[in-house]
Amino acid sequence: MAFSVVLEDEARTVCRLVLFTKVENAGQVRKLILAGEVEASLIKPQMVVAPFQVVVAANRAVRAQALGKMATRSLYTEVIFNLSTKKNITNALKTFGLGDEDKEVLAVVLGTEEEVEARVTKITQQISGKVVATSELASLTQEAQVRELYKVTPEELTAGSLLDAVVSRMACRDFLVL
């Protein structure tokens, strides 16, 4: 059901993605986030092309934390921030973070294998929704919105995939202003 990968940092951080549909309590979960009671990045799956996009953002966040160079105050906010092409944290949270009325959410959980297991158990108790296979992520992606947000041209898609274009823009955020 969940997608898991070990990141490239020295601690070998585990990154697990859990996809929820039919979420009934997004507003309540947002309040828990603001209270610091959610140990996960909660992302709009409509803005995610593939799990690799989120893994790249998580890897950047973990590396920034290790270097003491995070732009945000928490690792999980940093993951959401790293999905954006812009350096505006508030904009990134609005665009990619969980909204009060969202019915689908992609949870990104980081830590050791044991920490991730415990955090996934906790987040599945906090979110009233159905856990589905991450392979269903592609069916939730709003490609037109993603192309517009990342300013991907039709010509670009003849040479590579939408995922390639999105990850390239995420990686180059510090060097380009889109």
Side-chain angles (χ1 to χ4, degrees):
M1 286 279 219
F3 174 89
S4 233
V5 66
V6 177
L7 299 179
E8 298 173 351
D9 62 325
E10 287 182 19
R12 309 283 298 150
T13 303
V14 174
C15 174
R16 183 157 306 148
L17 309 182
V18 183
L19 181 60
F20 293 86
T21 60
K22 300 180 181 174
V23 175
E24 299 171 358
N25 65 335
Q28 290 172 297
V29 174
R30 279 202 54 195
K31 289 177 184 168
L32 291 174
I33 293 169
L34 296 174
E37 296 178 30
V38 175
E39 292 181 282
S41 297
L42 300 181
I43 298 169
K44 291 179 186 350
Q46 296 84 352
M47 302 309 293
V48 177
V49 178
F52 181 69
Q53 176 185 355
V54 178
V55 171
V56 169
N59 200 52
R60 279 188 75 167
V62 167
R63 287 185 175 270
Q65 182 184 47
L67 295 170
K69 302 220 183 237
M70 290 197 320
T72 66
R73 285 182 261 164
S74 84
L75 179 62
Y76 292 116
T77 305
E78 193 77 9
V79 172
I80 296 170
F81 176 63
N82 283 323
L83 288 167
S84 180
T85 59
K86 301 196 176 8
K87 293 184 180 183
N88 184 318
I89 297 167
T90 303
N91 185 303
L93 292 173
K94 285 180 184 175
T95 303
F96 295 97
L98 179 68
D100 283 339
E101 302 300 320
D102 289 349
K103 298 298 179 198
E104 295 91 19
V105 64
L106 179 64
V108 183
V109 183
L110 303 168
T112 65
E113 188 63 44
E114 297 77 26
E115 290 170 340
V116 166
E117 287 295 330
R119 290 172 182 158
V120 167
T121 299
K122 184 177 177 183
I123 198 72
T124 54
Q125 292 168 351
Q126 291 171 319
I127 297 175
S128 296
K130 180 181 177 192
V131 176
V132 297
T134 51
S135 59
E136 291 189 32
L137 183 61
S139 68
L140 299 174
T141 303
Q142 298 291 319
E143 285 192 22
Q145 281 182 286
V146 172
R147 281 195 308 270
E148 182 181 328
L149 177 70
Y150 287 98
K151 295 182 172 69
V152 178
T153 64
E155 295 81 22
E156 203 172 350
L157 295 175
T158 62
S161 69
L162 180 58
L163 177 62
D164 293 340
V166 166
V167 171
S168 294
R169 282 170 175 71
M170 286 169 46
C172 294
R173 176 186 66 211
D174 296 332
F175 309 108
L176 299 174
V177 179
L178 297 177

